[in-house]
């Protein structure tokens, strides 16, 4: 009975459709916010929408978007090195500038002269980059075996056919001009079709859905036009009810998100795009701690970087991705293809389980700034309610043996004791260590209230 209960508890992380099974196993993705906003280091699109920067000034950044040092081969190799299994990049943000080779023209307001309306609003025609910036990266991602994700903003504050523009004004109301809205939908749906056929993403990462209803976006049509020609594409949870997985943003959820599969999208500093004044980068320890929290709840981490306008990646973000690569390579068996770990109460930390539940991985934060003279000290950890007997315990990346002591086990009671383990600091990973416990059979947990039961 208790064995059946365990599998019922972990059901949300075990039941996946075939089409998104790779996503559930991927665990780590890299998010890339790249656009004209990197030129002056403004907030992406929101700068003009919130009136912090005049619209004309914001759009003038296109003239400085050179991408002269853009190296998609190096990007793909760095992402691969990080241990990520997929990459999501902005094909078009809310400002309307497409980084791929769209052939659809964006309607310009009559009094605005911010780009040449005879050509599409894309990096190919309107910036000194003069090329499609997405297709080369997707080609390189494929070469190194990574899945390709296309971020696309449903809304477009620049298009004269779109109702919204500035935060305190609108161009029109849909009910008053349904044909104008139909024109915008034809444009937006057309761009999604272009991305789908030109780039063939494995994943669509939609954004901007909050301004209109599912019916107004015609979400069912979007879902259909993607899957007619790209049946295995998965969609994030921002296409209303048509999404395949949830995407909490910045803040780690306390409870499991509603959908079975999910990812946390997270910045490495305080902003999505490149901001030269933002040096508030999260530490490697903080980011890896959040990553293990996602793993422990059966989710993914989509970690963001913001390249500069010339295509170079800030050195701090390169260092973060390289540290992720070091850590994920060392602890790969505790990360990829795992499911959520122990339910609350068994271990005061994050953990994962192998899919057959015969391997338990305990993430143990290492003391930060430990005094080298005290490296002979031990870190004590304990787990309780484990009915199964371990057949081996190891500290990943170390040959140091890990012993355990079962405390409180009563011979005539079915209630298991508490397993105490001591981890030598000298053998620990500088960031977070993994104690891997192997069981002969799928782990069985005691979920009772103690006593004689």
């Amino acid at each position: 009975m208790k064995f059946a209960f365990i599998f019922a508890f972990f059901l949300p992380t075990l039941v996946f459709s075939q089409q998104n099974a790779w996503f559930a196993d991927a665990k780590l993705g890299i998010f890339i916010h790249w656009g004209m906003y990197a030129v002056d280091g403004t907030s992406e699109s929101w700068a003009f929408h919130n009136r912090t920067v005049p619209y004309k000034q914001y759009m003038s950044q296109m003239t400085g978007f050179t991408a002269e040092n853009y190296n998609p081969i190096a990007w793909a190799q760095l992402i691969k090195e990080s241990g990520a299994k997929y990459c999501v990049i902005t094909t078009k943000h809310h400002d309307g500038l497409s980084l791929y080779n769209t052939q659809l023209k964006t309607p310009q307001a009559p009094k605005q002269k911010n780009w040449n309306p005879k050509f599409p609003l894309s990096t190919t025609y309107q910036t000194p980059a003069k090329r499609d910036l997405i297709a080369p990266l997707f080609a390189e991602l494929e070469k190194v075996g990574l899945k390709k994700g296309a971020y696309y903003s449903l809304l477009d504050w620049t298009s004269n056919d779109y109702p919204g523009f500035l935060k305190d004004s609108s161009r029109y109301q849909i009910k008053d001009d349904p044909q104008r809205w139909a024109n915008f939908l034809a444009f937006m749906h057309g761009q999604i079709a272009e991305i789908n056929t030109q780039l063939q993403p494995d994943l669509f990462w939609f954004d901007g859905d909050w301004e209109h209803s599912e019916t107004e976006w015609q979400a069912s049509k979007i879902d259909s036009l993607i899957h007619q020609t790209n049946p295995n594409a998965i969609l994030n949870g921002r296409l209303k009810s048509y999404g395949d997985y949830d995407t909490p943003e910045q803040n780690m959820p306390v409870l499991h998100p509603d959908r079975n599969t999910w990812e946390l999208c997270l910045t490495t500093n305080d902003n999505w795009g490149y901001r030269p004044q933002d040096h508030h980068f999260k530490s490697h320890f903080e980011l890896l701690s959040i990553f293990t929290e996602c793993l422990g709840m059966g989710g993914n981490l989509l970690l963001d970087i913001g390249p500069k306008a010339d295509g170079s990646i800030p050195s701090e973000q390169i260092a973060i991705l390289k540290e992720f690569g070091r850590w994920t390579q060392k602890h790969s068996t505790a990360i990829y293809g795992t499911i959520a770990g122990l339910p609350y109460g068994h271990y005061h930390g994050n953990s994962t389980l192998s899919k057959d539940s015969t391997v338990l991985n305990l993430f143990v934060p290492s003391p930060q700034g430990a005094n080298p003279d005290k490296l002979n000290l031990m870190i004590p950890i304990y787990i309780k309610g484990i009915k199964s007997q371990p057949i081996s315990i190891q500290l990943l990346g170390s040959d140091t043996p890990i012993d355990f002591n079962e405390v409180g086990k009563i011979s005539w009671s079915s209630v298991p004791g508490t397993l105490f383990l001591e981890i030598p600091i000298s053998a620990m990973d500088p960031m977070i260590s993994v104690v891997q416990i192997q069981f002969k059979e799928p782990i069985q947990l005691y979920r009772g209230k103690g006593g004689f039961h």
Side-chain angles (χ1 to χ4, degrees):
M1 183 63 181
K2 293 184 179 68
F3 182 74
F5 175 83
I6 292 305
F7 278 87
F9 184 90
F10 291 121
L11 191 60
T13 59
L14 292 175
V15 180
F16 303 122
S17 66
Q18 185 61 37
Q19 94 178 11
N20 67 4
W22 71 262
F23 180 83
D25 289 340
K27 304 305 178 185
L28 180 63
I30 300 302
F31 211 176
I32 302 176
H33 275 71
W34 197 29
M36 71 172 93
Y37 39 84
V39 174
D40 292 340
T42 64
S43 63
E44 57 288 336
S45 306
W46 294 94
F48 74 80
H49 181 74
N50 290 336
R51 294 182 179 272
T52 57
V53 173
Y55 177 70
K56 185 175 182 179
Q57 177 182 333
Y58 179 93
M59 297 300 286
S60 70
Q61 292 178 100
M62 282 191 289
T63 62
F65 194 39
T66 64
E68 60 188 15
N69 294 318
Y70 174 42
N71 187 340
I73 296 175
W75 280 25
Q77 290 174 343
L78 177 63
I79 294 166
K80 176 75 171 181
E81 182 183 347
S82 75
K85 301 300 183 183
Y86 63 107
C87 171
V88 179
I89 185 170
T90 48
T91 63
K92 189 203 76 171
H93 207 268
H94 313 324
D95 57 24
L97 177 66
S98 296
L99 274 66
Y100 76 99
N101 192 25
T102 181
Q103 298 302 301
L104 299 176
K105 297 178 183 178
T106 301
Q108 191 177 65
K111 295 182 179 180
Q112 293 172 354
K113 296 181 180 179
N114 298 293
W115 72 90
N116 188 342
K118 295 181 181 179
F119 300 99
L121 181 56
S122 74
T123 52
T124 302
Y125 298 101
Q126 309 291 346
T127 75
K130 295 186 182 302
R131 63 190 187 277
D132 182 331
L133 300 176
I134 305 299
L137 177 62
F138 274 22
E140 296 305 323
L141 291 173
E142 281 192 353
K143 288 179 183 178
V144 297
L146 299 182
K147 297 292 187 180
K148 315 177 301 292
Y151 169 107
Y152 181 82
S153 171
L154 298 170
L155 62 81
D156 189 330
W157 287 325
T158 281
S159 171
N160 196 44
D161 278 341
Y162 186 74
F165 179 40
L166 303 177
K167 65 177 182 179
D168 51 4
S169 65
S170 296
R171 294 183 177 95
Y172 68 96
Q173 298 296 317
I174 293 177
K175 60 181 178 60
D176 298 329
D177 199 343
Q179 183 56 52
R180 197 171 174 185
W181 177 246
N183 293 341
F184 174 75
L185 288 181
F187 167 81
M188 184 260 282
H189 293 164
Q191 284 200 320
I192 293 173
E194 283 182 329
I195 293 169
N196 198 42
T197 55
Q198 290 181 28
L199 302 172
Q200 298 180 324
D202 300 292
L203 182 157
F204 276 87
W205 212 100
F206 291 114
D207 198 11
D209 63 303
W210 63 83
E211 289 199 351
H212 297 283
S213 69
E214 183 173 302
T215 300
E216 288 173 333
W217 288 125
Q218 295 184 7
S220 61
K221 181 178 179 179
I222 295 173
D223 179 84
S224 177
L225 70 84
I226 290 172
H227 289 127
Q228 281 177 356
T229 56
N230 192 358
N232 292 324
I234 64 174
L235 315 180
N236 75 333
R238 301 192 184 189
L239 191 65
K240 309 297 185 180
S241 64
Y242 287 87
D244 295 300
Y245 66 93
D246 282 336
T247 58
E249 183 171 325
Q250 296 284 44
N251 299 308
M252 183 68 201
V254 176
L255 301 178
H256 194 288
D258 293 335
R259 289 181 173 90
N260 291 336
T261 46
W262 66 279
E263 73 182 1
L264 172 68
C265 54
L266 180 73
T267 56
T268 49
N269 51 7
D270 290 338
N271 293 276
W272 297 105
Y274 174 67
R275 304 287 290 276
Q277 70 276 24
D278 184 0
H279 301 290
H280 191 216
F281 286 92
K282 300 172 181 69
S283 72
H284 296 175
F285 178 75
E286 290 168 342
L287 290 170
L288 287 170
S289 296
I290 294 171
F291 181 38
T292 61
E293 186 85 7
C294 293
L295 295 173
M297 291 179 65
N300 294 0
L301 175 64
L302 183 62
L303 187 63
D304 181 72
I305 60 173
K308 300 177 183 179
D310 67 356
S312 60
I313 299 172
S315 59
E316 297 93 339
Q317 293 176 334
I318 292 176
I320 287 170
L321 266 57
K322 286 184 176 292
E323 175 61 12
F324 263 78
R326 180 200 69 80
W327 192 84
T328 55
Q329 183 177 17
K330 180 179 180 180
H331 303 108
S332 60
T333 58
I335 301 169
Y336 306 110
T338 61
I339 60 175
L342 297 173
Y344 178 79
H346 291 276
Y347 172 59
H348 298 296
N350 303 315
S351 62
T352 59
L353 282 164
S354 60
K355 287 184 178 179
D356 64 3
S357 295
T358 62
V359 178
L360 171 64
N361 304 291
L362 305 176
F363 298 105
V364 185
S366 302
Q368 297 301 290
N371 187 335
D373 295 334
K374 297 182 179 180
L375 291 183
N376 61 332
L377 297 179
M378 311 290 278
I379 295 291
I381 65 171
Y382 64 91
I383 52 177
K384 58 184 179 180
I386 310 296
K387 297 186 67 176
S388 308
Q389 286 297 309
I391 57 176
S392 71
I393 301 177
Q394 64 172 321
L395 186 66
L396 292 187
S398 172
D399 295 329
T400 302
I402 304 296
D403 296 322
F404 72 91
N405 182 35
E406 186 174 15
V407 176
K409 174 60 180 170
I410 303 173
S411 60
W412 42 261
S413 172
S414 62
V415 180
T418 299
L419 301 183
F420 279 85
L421 299 84
E422 289 190 331
I423 316 300
I425 293 179
S426 59
M428 295 183 74
D429 183 88
M431 296 294 159
I432 298 174
S433 296
V434 176
V435 175
Q436 191 168 83
I437 305 177
Q438 178 80 45
F439 298 91
K440 185 176 181 180
E441 299 174 341
I443 189 172
Q444 296 187 48
L445 303 182
Y446 171 77
R447 298 288 289 168
K449 298 179 181 179
F452 305 131
H453 304 291

